[in-house]
Amino acid sequence: MKNLKSLLALLLALALVAAACGSSDDDTAADDTAEDTSEEAAEADEEEAMEEDSEEEEEEEEAMEEEGDDEVALSQGGDLTFHMITHSDDGPFWSVVKNGFDAACAAHGVNCVWMPGNNDPGQMVIDIETAIGEGSAGIAASLPSPDQLISPLQDAVAAGIPVYTLNSGLNDYQTIGATTHIGQSEDVAGQGAGNRFNDLGATKVLCGRQEQSNVGLEERCGGLAETFGGDVVDEFVGLDADQTEQINGIKAILEADPDIDAFLGVGPVIAMSGLQAAQDLGRDLTIGGFDMTPELLDAIEAGDIAFTVDQQQYLQGYLPVVLMFLEATNANQAGGGLPVLTGPGFVTPDNAADVKALSAEGTR
């Protein structure tokens, strides 16, 4: 009996040990399974993080490439220096030309030198020679006095410098060897003014010039005479720099000739001088002008001045830089041997308000 009890106790002990072992194995398996699951999750997280890092790196590389492209484009222009040499007096007309010049230079990342001659062809010759000596990548020049300026600009072309004429020079740019001319045909613009005066019923027009030897201004008055049905008096009446003298010069001609019933100022300042002279004398004149200032646009909107001829001088400052840049960097030449025209157009009381808003921004 005693032996039976001992045997039962031994069997019970073995059963407990077996149960304990089974429980331990199950726990271990569960732990192993949990560890495997945790490792798989960690690996998945790591792969996802690596993919995100890779995407971020690709985005950074693309951004750097885009930035690099911009830097390349800017560096293409950064080595170029262009010169714009004109008879500018830095007045209201030329300030708009300069605004166009500055905007184009900034847009293309090029170095630019603005050289105003203040209506002195001798100074312009000096400036052209300076630009040649500095190894200019391109020269844009007005040509108010061809007899003095053609030769030095031909020297620039001979030195391998692309030359573009602007504003004045339509009749001589090919003689220079310039790539093209950018501006308006002055005689055609004058013809348009003559037709306007015909429609307005004028019979005798004083065409007042603000420079004595500017071919472009002479062509404006010449074009007027070609289409106007009445008489034309063509006179230099004083510089814009001294508007009081200019007004007095116009008044003297008007007082000497009571038959004059219209005035064409071949610039914006002189057109206003003509209006002031007429008002001082109590004369009722039909007045037209060329180009524009805020004051001139106000006078047109009010009906005191009938019209002004618009040659869009902002383009005359902007386009030469664009074309010189393309010729220097991409061997492009525009115009096909013909001029690139920026006008004429006309501003009248019908559209003066719209143009005035743009003029206030310095682009018209």
Side-chain angles (χ1 to χ4, degrees), residues 247-269:
I247 292 170
N248 290 334
I250 296 169
K251 287 167 66 174
I253 297 172
L254 293 177
E255 287 178 315
D257 191 342
D259 291 334
I260 294 174
D261 59 1
F263 176 77
L264 177 64
V266 291
V269 174

Side-chain angles (χ1 to χ4, degrees), residues 165-184:
T165 58
L166 69 124
N167 183 259
S168 53
L170 177 65
N171 297 328
D172 299 290
Y173 74 94
Q174 292 175 324
T175 300
I176 293 168
T179 303
T180 191
H181 173 78
I182 300 164
Q184 71 178 1

Side-chain angles (χ1 to χ4, degrees), residues 10-364:
L10 178 60
L11 292 173
L12 179 61
L14 291 173
L16 291 172
V17 171
C21 289
S23 175
S24 176
D25 290 341
D26 291 343
D27 290 344
T28 300
D31 291 342
D32 290 343
T33 302
E35 288 176 4
D36 291 342
T37 303
S38 176
E39 288 176 0
E40 291 175 358
E43 289 176 359
D45 291 341
E46 184 177 352
E47 289 178 0
E48 184 177 352
M50 290 176 66
E51 289 177 359
E52 291 177 355
D53 289 343
S54 178
E55 291 177 359
E56 290 177 0
E57 288 176 1
E58 288 178 2
E59 290 175 357
E60 289 176 1
E61 288 176 1
E62 290 176 0
M64 290 175 67
E65 287 175 1
E66 290 176 0
E67 183 178 350
D69 289 342
D70 292 341
E71 289 175 356
V72 169
L74 290 176
S75 66
Q76 281 186 329
D79 295 333
L80 300 173
T81 297
F82 299 134
H83 294 75
M84 184 165 283
I85 302 165
T86 70
H87 57 288
S88 165
D89 54 8
D90 289 335
F93 175 87
W94 286 104
S95 65
V96 177
V97 177
K98 187 175 186 300
N99 286 343
F101 175 70
D102 290 340
C105 293
H108 290 81
V110 295
N111 304 309
C112 290
V113 182
W114 172 260
M115 306 178 85
N118 198 27
N119 298 311
D120 182 355
Q123 181 60 51
M124 293 181 66
V125 171
I126 294 172
D127 291 339
I128 293 168
E129 292 172 345
T130 299
I132 295 172
E134 292 178 355
S136 178
I139 295 174
S142 62
L143 207 69
S145 302
D147 56 333
Q148 293 173 267
L149 298 172
I150 286 177
S151 180
L153 288 173
Q154 286 176 328
D155 291 341
V157 173
I161 300 172
V163 170
Y164 288 73
T165 58
L166 69 124
N167 183 259
S168 53
L170 177 65
N171 297 328
D172 299 290
Y173 74 94
Q174 292 175 324
T175 300
I176 293 168
T179 303
T180 191
H181 173 78
I182 300 164
Q184 71 178 1
S185 170
E186 303 298 358
D187 56 346
V188 172
Q191 291 167 10
N195 290 327
R196 291 269 169 177
F197 281 120
N198 288 334
D199 293 341
L200 294 167
T203 60
K204 191 170 187 178
V205 180
L206 167 59
C207 189
R209 293 180 285 108
Q210 69 271 28
E211 296 174 33
Q212 285 182 303
S213 59
N214 186 317
V215 173
L217 302 186
E218 293 172 354
E219 289 176 349
R220 291 176 180 181
C221 289
L224 168 69
E226 289 177 19
T227 57
F228 181 58
D231 297 327
V232 174
V233 178
D234 180 354
E235 294 286 349
F236 166 72
V237 297
L239 298 171
D240 286 346
D242 189 345
Q243 199 169 1
T244 298
E245 179 184 355
Q246 195 175 74
I247 292 170
N248 290 334
I250 296 169
K251 287 167 66 174
I253 297 172
L254 293 177
E255 287 178 315
D257 191 342
D259 291 334
I260 294 174
D261 59 1
F263 176 77
L264 177 64
V266 291
V269 174
I270 195 172
M272 293 301 297
S273 294
L275 175 61
Q276 187 61 57
Q279 291 175 339
D280 289 348
L281 296 175
R283 293 275 286 271
D284 183 17
L285 299 183
T286 300
I287 299 174
F290 271 76
D291 310 315
M292 56 190 133
T293 62
E295 294 79 13
L296 179 56
L297 291 173
D298 286 340
I300 294 173
E301 190 174 23
D304 295 327
I305 291 180
F307 66 87
T308 192
V309 181
D310 178 19
Q311 61 175 300
Q312 301 183 101
Q313 69 268 33
Y314 185 86
L315 293 177
Q316 295 177 16
Y318 195 98
L319 291 180
V321 176
V322 175
L323 298 182
M324 288 189 293
F325 176 81
L326 290 173
E327 183 167 356
T329 61
N330 206 48
N332 290 131
Q333 291 186 340
L338 299 176
V340 177
L341 299 182
T342 64
F346 291 90
V347 181
T348 68
D350 293 334
N351 63 352
D354 292 337
V355 175
K356 186 166 69 172
L358 296 169
S359 177
E361 299 297 325
T363 61
R364 290 295 296 270

